[in-house]
């Protein structure tokens, strides 16, 4: 099939981590058009790239006009990944301006296109944590606990109200990772134990709980299947996208201790009030600098997020091929092989010994 005969897939946030992976997979059978405020990855496989700032009405209008002029008005699928994300948990106007209103701007511009499907990258954290012995399914109660998932849930509401006749798919994704890590919470956990940081020994709550993740290749495969099965799906769909097994905090401590230092890493349970106090002291001493654990995280530290992915298996034919438990050893092996590269890939400050080596 010639390029100009392939179905057109529009991906927003195409220069990001998930966007690049989705582009690589979908460009094999589709004409992928990437929209992002950033310049595209030079190794990317998008057939076209259009600059777009989703916080601005005019920018979105002009970008979609460019799509219309270059590729026509027929879009097989729109995969909307562009959103604001900040792990500090601090309020930001960008959650509203980019994640929520940016979604509204895009939906309204799509009114003049023939759009076969709108896929939104939501997050599994829009749900409340699971009660003891239960798992989270697509229609489990929602109750996001911090700004990022709150903005995702609000954007879901915008999509439902603004969709018109466009079929929609809400993918409530787990955090993505790969063999280089590329996951803020996992990288921070590895870093704490690798550097033998004092706080690596303590945990505020039940360490036998955890959160599901998903490998980036499995996530990209889910997006591909969602696009390819678009004509078989209902007008409104919701899917959880995650690995069905959860690596608990205690299990990760044990694994990382063995892999990094040849012995299990002890976990001492501390009261949450004491952990919050310690987090505040660290923030104050650092001047809000290189500190990952913020006080607001303490109450969520032992929130349990095991998920059921039965609907994705049934309707998309999808199940993850990778497991975090099996990938962690490779993450650690790459850290040991090239510590400097691993720290830079994961946007972490180099530890003192690496800084000393570079200064020599």
């Amino acid at each position: 099939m010639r390029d100009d005969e392939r179905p057109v897939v529009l991906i927003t946030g195409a220069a990001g981590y998930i966007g690049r992976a989705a582009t690589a997979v979908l460009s094999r059978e589709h004409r992928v058009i990437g929209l992002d405020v950033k310049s595209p990855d030079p190794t990317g496989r998008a057939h076209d790239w259009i600059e777009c700032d989703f916080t601005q009405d005019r920018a979105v209008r002009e970008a979609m006009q460019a799509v219309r002029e270059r590729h026509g008005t027929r879009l097989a699928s729109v995969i909307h990944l562009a959103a604001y994300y900040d792990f500090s948990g601090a309020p930001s106007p960008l959650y509203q301006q980019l994640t929520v209103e940016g979604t509204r701007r895009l939906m309204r511009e799509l009114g003049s296109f023939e759009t076969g499907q709108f896929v939104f990258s939501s997050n599994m954290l829009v749900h409340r944590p699971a009660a003891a012995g239960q798992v989270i399914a697509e229609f489990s109660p929602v109750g996001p606990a911090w700004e990022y998932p709150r903005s995702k849930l609000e954007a879901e509401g915008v999509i439902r109200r603004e969709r018109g006749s466009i079929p929609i798919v809400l993918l409530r994704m787990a955090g993505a990772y790969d063999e280089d890590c590329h996951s803020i919470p996992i990288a921070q956990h590895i870093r704490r134990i690798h550097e033998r940081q004092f706080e690596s020994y303590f945990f505020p709550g039940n360490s036998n709980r955890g959160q599901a993740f998903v490998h980036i290749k499995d996530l990209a495969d889910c997006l591909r299947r969602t696009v390819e099965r678009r004509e078989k799906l209902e007008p409104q769909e919701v899917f959880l996208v995650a690995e069905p097994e959860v690596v608990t905090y205690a299990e990760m401590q044990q694994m990382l201790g063995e892999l990094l230092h040849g012995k299990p890493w002890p976990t001492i349970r501390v009261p949450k009030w004491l952990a919050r106090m310690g987090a505040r002291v660290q923030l104050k001493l650092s001047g809000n600098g290189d500190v990952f654990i913020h006080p607001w995280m303490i109450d969520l530290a032992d929130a349990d997020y095991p998920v059921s992915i039965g609907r994705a298996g049934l309707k998309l034919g999808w199940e993850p091929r990778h497991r975090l438990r099996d990938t962690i050893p490779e993450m650690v092996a790459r850290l040991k092989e090239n510590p400097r590269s691993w720290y830079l890939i994961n946007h972490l400050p180099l530890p003192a010994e690496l800084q000393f080596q570079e200064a020599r």
Side-chain angles (χ1 to χ4, degrees), residues 266-311:
T267 306
I268 303 168
R269 184 169 182 170
V270 297
K272 290 188 176 183
W273 67 264
L274 183 59
R276 280 192 294 270
M277 183 184 299
R280 291 191 190 99
V281 170
Q282 278 201 320
L283 279 172
K284 188 172 182 179
L285 292 175
S286 70
N288 293 325
D290 177 31
V291 173
F292 173 67
I293 299 175
H294 288 65
W296 69 270
M297 296 180 180
I298 303 302
D299 287 332
L300 303 176
D302 59 353
D304 211 18
Y305 283 94
V307 300
S308 168
I309 57 170
R311 290 193 78 252

Side-chain angles (χ1 to χ4, degrees), residues 155-324:
E156 286 188 11
V158 168
I159 293 165
R160 287 190 171 101
R161 291 189 296 273
E162 300 282 349
R163 76 179 189 91
S165 61
I166 300 174
I168 62 171
V169 181
L170 307 177
L171 296 181
R172 292 177 176 167
M173 304 173 178
Y177 70 90
D178 63 22
E179 285 73 10
D180 285 314
C181 196
H182 275 119
S183 165
I184 295 173
I186 298 173
Q188 288 285 354
H189 199 158
I190 293 172
R191 175 198 180 190
R192 287 194 297 272
I193 295 179
H194 179 242
E195 297 178 15
R196 295 182 170 90
Q197 293 180 7
F198 179 72
E199 59 266 32
S200 69
Y201 297 97
F202 302 97
F203 187 72
N206 186 347
S207 62
N208 291 314
R209 295 175 179 174
Q211 179 175 315
F213 288 86
V214 64
H215 194 285
I216 189 66
K217 288 184 178 178
D218 290 325
L219 179 50
D221 180 56
C222 183
L223 287 166
R224 177 185 64 81
R225 291 170 183 268
T226 302
V227 172
E228 291 179 350
R229 300 192 179 206
R230 61 190 179 277
E231 295 179 358
K232 300 178 181 179
L233 299 177
E234 298 298 322
Q236 297 190 56
E237 296 276 19
V238 181
F239 297 110
L240 279 164
V241 184
E243 293 172 13
E245 299 94 1
V246 170
V247 180
T248 68
Y249 190 90
E251 184 180 358
M252 192 172 290
Q253 287 275 100
Q254 295 277 330
M255 289 181 65
L256 293 176
E258 292 278 8
L259 290 166
L260 288 163
H261 303 299
K263 58 183 180 181
W265 208 251
T267 306
I268 303 168
R269 184 169 182 170
V270 297
K272 290 188 176 183
W273 67 264
L274 183 59
R276 280 192 294 270
M277 183 184 299
R280 291 191 190 99
V281 170
Q282 278 201 320
L283 279 172
K284 188 172 182 179
L285 292 175
S286 70
N288 293 325
D290 177 31
V291 173
F292 173 67
I293 299 175
H294 288 65
W296 69 270
M297 296 180 180
I298 303 302
D299 287 332
L300 303 176
D302 59 353
D304 211 18
Y305 283 94
V307 300
S308 168
I309 57 170
R311 290 193 78 252
L314 179 66
K315 305 200 78 172
L316 300 177
W318 177 82
E319 63 176 331
R321 297 179 178 273
H322 301 76
R323 295 292 184 270
L324 176 60

Side-chain angles (χ1 to χ4, degrees), residues 106-123:
L106 178 59
M107 292 298 296
R108 290 183 174 177
E109 289 298 326
L110 289 174
S112 61
F113 285 79
E114 183 183 343
T115 306
Q117 175 192 62
F118 186 90
V119 182
F120 179 60
S121 62
S122 190
N123 192 275

